[in-house]
Amino acid sequence: MATNTFLYALSAAILLLSLTSVSNACPPSDWAALLAFKAALHEPYLGIFNSWKGTDCCHNWYGVSCDPETRRVADINLRGESEDPIFQKARRTGYMTGSISPAVCQLTRLSSLTIADWKGISGSIPSCIAYLPFLRILDLIGNQLTGEIPADIGQLSRLTVLNVADNQLSGTIPRSLTNLSSLMHLDIRGNKISGTLPRNFGKLRMLSRALLSKNKLNGPIPNSVSYIYRLSDLDLSLNQLSGPIPASLGKMAVLATLNLDGNQISGPIPPTLISSSISILNLSRNAIEGYIPDAFGSRSYFTVLDLSYNKLRGRIPKTISSATFIGHLDVSHNHLCGPIPAGSPFDHLEASSFVNNDCLCGKPLRAC
């Protein structure tokens, strides 16, 4: 009798454990979506998908994390360049081909989707990604993705990071993108995106980094950019932007890096840029005219001030010596004239910072 009671208790305990295990597993719908996602990708060297076995995708599936309460898939984090032991053991970076399956959109509780630096993943960004209501991070940098940024990307009200840099995306910046009211980090560098910057770009009030270099963007820099009071890094270099530099950019409280080099920008340098909080200012290789503003003072602190390859004329202003710091200065390839001011910061600069002007003279060039 005692034996039967023990066996009954043991079988009940085993049943309870198995039911608990099943209830802790990820839902079959998430499991099926991940397997469909995996089926569209080919990773030949590292074997990162070897761990995607069994029915519980929340347990030891490489790069997959689940919400501890709901057991729904919350994060996919697959990086082709990582310090993870799987990379160190293989002594190589990752390489993956295939495409991003729309099946990923069936993971309706997804909070972050990172498929970064695999170099060979092609195809388009599934448009249904714009309807993942809990998505906070979308990081697809360093692949071969083509097509356009999904038109409805602005539906992602919780999105804080949008990184699609170093792909082959084309088309224009979607109109809806400025509805991303939580966006802090925007990186679309190194694509083939054309058209103009949205006039209402300044709606992105939470943005701290806007990196849009190496595209085919044209037209003016919108004045509304200056409304983004948290913006610290603005990189619009190597595009086809034209028109003047908005003076309001120099009045932004935390803007520290402004890269506008390699465009078709014209007009004068706004004096506000010289007396601003900007520490890296690169305006080189444009069509900027007029004089270097005589507006340097104690607020002027530049680790980089590059004005080379423009159409600047006149003298280098004497107030430049009153700047708190200037590390790298380059005014070469302009139409400047007159003596180079003596003392700091000029005493540590080489001739290459001043060459190919009309009639500059003094150290480190020829004597006046």
Side-chain angles (χ1 to χ4, degrees):
M1 186 71 176
T3 304
N4 288 341
T5 304
F6 172 75
L7 290 173
Y8 176 78
L10 182 63
S11 61
I14 291 169
L15 179 63
L16 184 63
L17 280 171
S18 63
L19 287 172
T20 304
S21 175
V22 168
S23 65
N24 281 342
C26 67
S29 58
D30 282 11
W31 174 81
L34 284 173
L35 290 184
F37 167 77
K38 170 191 168 185
L41 296 167
H42 178 58
E43 191 283 296
Y45 301 113
L46 301 171
I48 65 161
F49 291 125
N50 291 350
S51 63
W52 288 31
K53 294 175 181 175
T55 56
D56 186 4
C57 56
C58 296
H59 183 65
N60 290 338
W61 281 36
Y62 183 89
V64 177
S65 304
C66 296
D67 183 289
E69 293 181 6
T70 65
R71 309 302 290 170
R72 297 294 307 277
V73 173
D75 305 296
I76 296 176
N77 186 13
L78 301 174
R79 293 189 179 277
E81 295 177 5
S82 169
E83 298 297 318
D84 191 275
I86 199 170
F87 290 83
Q88 295 177 353
K89 187 178 178 181
R91 295 184 177 179
R92 61 166 297 138
T93 57
Y95 180 76
M96 198 187 298
T97 56
S99 61
I100 301 171
S101 169
V104 78
C105 302
Q106 294 165 25
L107 302 169
T108 54
R109 300 291 299 193
L110 204 60
S111 174
S112 70
L113 177 60
T114 298
I115 310 167
D117 296 314
W118 290 103
K119 306 171 188 71
I121 296 175
S122 57
S124 60
I125 302 170
S127 58
C128 58
I129 279 178
Y131 298 98
L132 288 170
F134 298 97
L135 198 64
R136 295 178 184 276
I137 296 171
L138 180 60
D139 186 352
L140 306 175
I141 186 175
N143 291 294
Q144 296 288 330
L145 298 172
T146 54
E148 302 186 11
I149 298 171
D152 292 334
I153 195 79
Q155 298 282 343
L156 297 171
S157 61
R158 289 178 167 90
L159 199 70
T160 60
V161 174
L162 175 57
N163 187 352
V164 293
D166 298 328
N167 280 284
Q168 296 183 28
L169 298 173
S170 56
T172 59
I173 296 174
R175 226 179 251 182
S176 75
L177 186 133
T178 57
N179 293 331
L180 294 171
S181 56
S182 300
L183 195 66
M184 297 178 182
H185 180 100
L186 173 64
D187 192 349
I188 63 171
R189 290 175 295 179
N191 282 287
K192 301 173 183 177
I193 295 169
S194 58
T196 59
L197 285 166
R199 287 182 64 184
N200 61 348
F201 195 80
K203 279 178 67 181
L204 299 168
R205 296 296 172 87
M206 300 298 287
L207 204 60
S208 62
R209 302 189 80 202
L211 311 175
L212 296 88
S213 64
K214 296 182 186 174
N215 278 289
K216 298 180 178 180
L217 298 170
N218 57 56
I221 301 168
N223 278 307
S224 69
V225 171
S226 62
Y227 304 161
I228 311 173
Y229 61 92
R230 295 170 183 260
L231 193 64
S232 65
D233 188 350
L234 178 61
D235 189 352
L236 298 173
S237 62
L238 303 172
N239 279 289
Q240 298 161 20
L241 298 172
S242 58
I245 302 169
S248 55
L249 295 184
K251 298 176 182 177
M252 296 176 69
V254 296
L255 188 64
T257 300
L258 179 60
N259 289 323
L260 302 178
D261 49 297
N263 281 287
Q264 298 162 18
I265 293 167
S266 57
I269 299 172
T272 51
L273 295 186
I274 301 300
S275 57
S276 68
S277 60
I278 297 170
S279 59
I280 296 175
L281 179 61
N282 192 343
L283 307 180
S284 65
R285 299 180 187 275
N286 280 288
I288 296 169
E289 303 162 313
Y291 303 95
I292 299 173
D294 195 4
F296 292 87
S298 58
R299 283 199 66 192
S300 306
Y301 187 103
F302 293 102
T303 53
V304 174
L305 178 57
D306 194 341
L307 309 177
S308 62
Y309 291 91
N310 278 291
K311 299 177 181 179
L312 297 169
R313 62 186 192 277
R315 295 174 172 249
I316 297 173
K318 288 183 179 179
T319 58
I320 200 167
S321 300
S322 65
T324 299
F325 178 76
I326 297 181
H328 173 76
L329 173 71
D330 194 343
V331 295
S332 65
H333 299 270
N334 279 287
H335 299 290
L336 300 172
C337 214
I340 296 169
S344 180
F346 303 98
D347 46 15
H348 70 266
L349 296 173
E350 298 181 4
S352 59
S353 292
F354 304 98
V355 297
N356 290 97
N357 276 285
D358 288 1
C359 47
L360 277 181
C361 58
K363 287 185 178 181
L365 300 180
R366 59 176 177 79
C368 292

